[in-house]
Amino acid sequence: MKKRMVSAILCGVMTAGLLAASVPVGAASSAASAESAETPAVDYSKDSGTINMFISSPEYADAIQQLISEYAKVAPNVTINYETTQNDYPTMLKAKINSGDIPDIFSSTSGKEIDTYMDYSYDLSDQPLMETIDPAVADTMKSLKTGKGCYGIAIKGNFFGILYNKDIFDQCGIKEFPTTTSAMKDACEKISAKGIQPFTTGFSEWWVFKHCWQPFLDAAADQAGITAAELVRKFESGEAKVKDYPELYNNFASITNLMG
């Protein structure tokens, strides 16, 4: 089966990285080539073909359409068909793959999904564009099974945090934002005593709840001196158990119970 490109969604790289996956082999390094006095810029004006994109995150639609327009200036004979959706994207993507309608560019998350779509993904680890990817970001694009490869280009970053109502904190006598689980529990008890619900969350959406796991996973990996991807591989293989990492085991349930 012909392999295809996965554009994985991860932290740290601009959306512009998405279209780098769609250009012909070597085109991703054209900017670097143009800067070199020894290597002439590559001319793609005679290239032709069709690239089918199916990605999530419709909030980036305008930016991606702009990138497509810019790409058309250097490769006017290449047609890019862009399709996006947010609702149930993984199911729709798998349906396309199962029917043989495999997009040339599609999106996924890092981690286990890298292996899910590996049969349809190029390994970019020997491509010149690797020189432009932060090593920490590239590490998240590796296969969890093998610990090797680079099966996508990061186009988006997620940031986690908690918003709080300072007026309610003042009303409840909470002087500063809690930085430990015990301080968080104490703050929640004070807020509850005033008849106020301490938390509101988006846990009805499956993808929101799973993100609460990530900061604790990162903390556990950092404490162990390994990457989060390496820790996940240990869990997957049975080499490690969650209870072996107190930063994760002790704190995740405590915080999510407070939120619930």
Side-chain angles (χ1 to χ4, degrees):
M1 180 175 291
K2 183 179 179 180
K3 295 221 170 183
R4 305 285 182 162
M5 170 62 66
V6 165
S7 294
I9 299 180
L10 227 318
C11 60
V13 181
M14 294 187 297
T15 309
L18 181 64
L19 282 188
S22 70
V23 297
V25 174
S29 61
S30 61
S33 300
E35 295 175 358
S36 171
E38 300 178 359
T39 306
V42 181
D43 180 11
Y44 296 107
S45 62
K46 296 181 180 180
D47 289 342
S48 62
T50 300
I51 297 171
N52 295 312
M53 296 176 59
F54 177 57
I55 63 173
S56 56
S57 303
E59 63 269 26
Y60 294 123
D62 290 344
I64 291 176
Q65 290 288 7
Q66 183 176 351
L67 288 170
I68 291 174
S69 297
E70 290 299 315
Y71 184 75
K73 294 178 182 179
V74 298
N77 298 314
V78 175
T79 299
I80 299 179
N81 298 320
Y82 168 55
E83 180 183 359
T84 185
T85 184
Q86 186 66 55
N87 296 327
D88 208 13
Y89 175 82
T91 300
M92 295 179 67
L93 175 59
K94 290 175 182 177
K96 284 179 175 288
I97 291 174
N98 290 336
S99 69
D101 181 23
I102 306 173
D104 298 296
I105 299 177
F106 56 94
S107 58
S108 76
T109 57
S110 62
K112 195 170 183 178
E113 278 198 341
I114 295 291
D115 290 317
T116 299
Y117 299 114
M118 187 183 297
D119 288 343
Y120 313 100
S121 307
Y122 283 116
D123 180 359
L124 304 174
S125 56
D126 62 348
Q127 294 298 308
L129 63 86
M130 291 299 296
E131 298 177 4
T132 69
I133 301 177
D134 185 281
V137 175
D139 188 62
T140 64
M141 304 296 177
K142 294 179 179 179
S143 163
L144 289 180
K145 291 181 179 179
T146 67
K148 299 177 181 179
C150 181
Y151 293 94
I153 300 173
I155 61 171
K156 181 174 82 169
N158 291 320
F159 296 87
F160 306 101
I162 298 176
L163 303 178
Y164 71 98
N165 189 317
K166 190 175 184 303
D167 290 338
I168 291 179
F169 270 42
D170 291 342
Q171 180 183 341
C172 298
I174 303 171
K175 302 300 183 183
E176 59 184 9
F177 187 83
T179 57
T180 64
T181 53
S182 58
M184 180 68 78
K185 180 179 179 181
D186 181 65
C188 288
E189 290 174 347
K190 290 179 178 178
I191 294 172
S192 295
K194 293 287 187 179
I196 302 171
Q197 179 180 328
F199 274 98
T200 181
T201 69
F203 287 169
S204 60
E205 297 283 351
W206 67 272
W207 56 270
V208 176
F209 184 78
K210 73 171 184 175
H211 285 322
C212 294
W213 172 268
Q214 188 68 50
F216 299 103
L217 178 70
D218 291 340
D222 184 65
Q223 189 68 25
I226 59 179
T227 66
E230 290 172 325
L231 181 54
V232 170
R233 281 196 291 270
K234 287 178 177 288
F235 290 150
E236 291 270 346
S237 66
E239 181 182 346
K241 298 183 182 299
V242 173
K243 66 179 182 181
D244 298 333
Y245 298 86
E247 296 81 5
L248 180 59
Y249 185 74
N250 295 337
N251 294 325
F252 175 69
S254 298
I255 291 296
T256 51
N257 285 339
L258 291 174
M259 291 180 175

